[in-house]
Amino acid sequence: LGTIQGVGLFSNNDALGGLINFWFYTLALTVVGITLSVVLEESRSTKIKAEERERRLQTIFETEPECVKVVDPNGKLLEMNAAGLAMLEAASLKEAQQHSLMHFILSEYRNAFRNLHKRVLQGESGILEFEVLGLKGTRRWLETHAAPMRDEVGKVTSLLGVTRDITERKQSELRIERLTRLYKALSE
C-alpha cells in the first residue's frame, strides 16, 4: 500500500492521492482488526468449549458408580474416582497412592493382574476377576475392564481401568455351588 512518488493517484504531491492512500490504510487496518477480533473470539470460544468439556468429563469421572482409574506403565496409580477409593477403603487418592496397587490385590491374583497390565501396555484390552483387601480389612471380589490410553501419536501411555465390585455375585455363585454339592450328596 505504499506510494510511488509522482505517479497516478498515489502521488504524495496529490491531495486526492493522499486521501485515497489514507483510506486504503484505514481499510487495511480495519480488515486486520476485524480478522484479529474474529480469531481471538474463535480462540476464546474454543477455550470455553474445552473447559466445558473438561468439567463434563470430570463430573462423569467423579459420579460414575464403578471404579475408574488411570495407572501408569510402572503400575503407579495416577487417578481414581470416589467409587474406586471406597473399594480400597481409602479416604483420598493420596492415601491410596501411598501403596502400590499390588498391595491391595491378594497374592494369588497378582501375576494375572501383572499380565493384564503388560498386555494393555502392548495395546490390548482385557478383563480380570480378582480379590482385594481394603485398607480397613474388607475383602472384595472385583472385575476390571482394562484398556490402553494413548497419546496424540498413538503411543500407549497408561492403562484405563473400569472396575466393579462383584462380591455379591461371587458369594451367590458359591452358595449355588454348595447347594448343588449338598443336593448331589443327598440324592445319592
Side-chain angles (χ1 to χ4, degrees):
L1 295 177
T3 61
I4 300 173
Q5 186 67 26
V7 178
L9 293 175
F10 297 105
S11 169
N12 286 335
N13 296 331
D14 187 296
L16 181 60
L19 184 58
I20 291 173
N21 219 7
F22 168 78
W23 286 111
F24 275 124
Y25 281 120
T26 302
L27 177 62
L29 289 174
T30 301
V31 168
V32 168
I34 291 170
T35 302
L36 283 175
S37 176
V38 168
V39 167
L40 290 174
E41 182 59 30
E42 286 176 358
S43 175
R44 187 174 151 281
S45 176
T46 300
K47 182 180 179 190
I48 289 170
K49 286 177 183 175
E51 288 170 353
E52 287 172 358
R53 183 173 184 262
E54 177 71 23
R55 277 192 301 276
R56 189 170 48 253
L57 290 174
Q58 189 63 35
T59 300
I60 291 168
F61 178 79
E62 284 303 323
T63 60
E64 167 61 38
E66 309 292 355
C67 167
V68 179
K69 63 184 170 292
V70 178
V71 182
D72 81 0
N74 297 318
K76 181 182 181 212
L77 181 63
L78 300 176
E79 296 181 54
M80 181 177 274
N81 67 352
L85 295 173
M87 288 177 193
L88 300 180
E89 300 176 322
S92 67
L93 177 62
K94 188 173 184 175
E95 182 179 13
Q97 288 173 325
Q98 291 175 357
H99 309 275
S100 76
L101 282 179
M102 290 300 168
H103 168 85
F104 297 100
I105 299 167
L106 296 186
S107 60
E108 58 264 34
Y109 302 100
R110 289 179 184 160
N111 281 337
F113 192 86
R114 276 189 204 97
N115 290 336
L116 174 63
H117 190 81
K118 284 180 190 175
R119 288 194 333 266
V120 169
L121 292 176
Q122 293 169 353
E124 298 178 32
S125 294
I127 300 171
L128 180 67
E129 291 183 0
F130 57 97
E131 280 186 283
V132 296
L133 185 64
L135 292 174
K136 296 178 181 175
T138 304
R139 281 178 74 149
R140 287 184 172 81
W141 273 98
L142 302 179
E143 177 184 77
T144 193
H145 295 247
M149 291 188 71
R150 300 175 187 276
D151 64 14
E152 61 279 351
V153 296
K155 179 184 175 205
V156 176
T157 58
S158 55
L159 173 148
L160 172 66
V162 178
T163 304
R164 70 178 42 99
D165 186 335
I166 59 167
T167 304
E168 287 183 24
R169 186 188 89 197
K170 285 295 205 177
Q171 289 171 345
S172 294
E173 289 172 358
L174 283 173
R175 278 191 293 271
I176 291 169
E177 186 180 309
R178 275 188 246 136
L179 289 173
T180 302
R181 282 196 311 264
L182 178 62
Y183 176 74
K184 282 183 179 180
L186 291 175
S187 62
E188 291 178 357

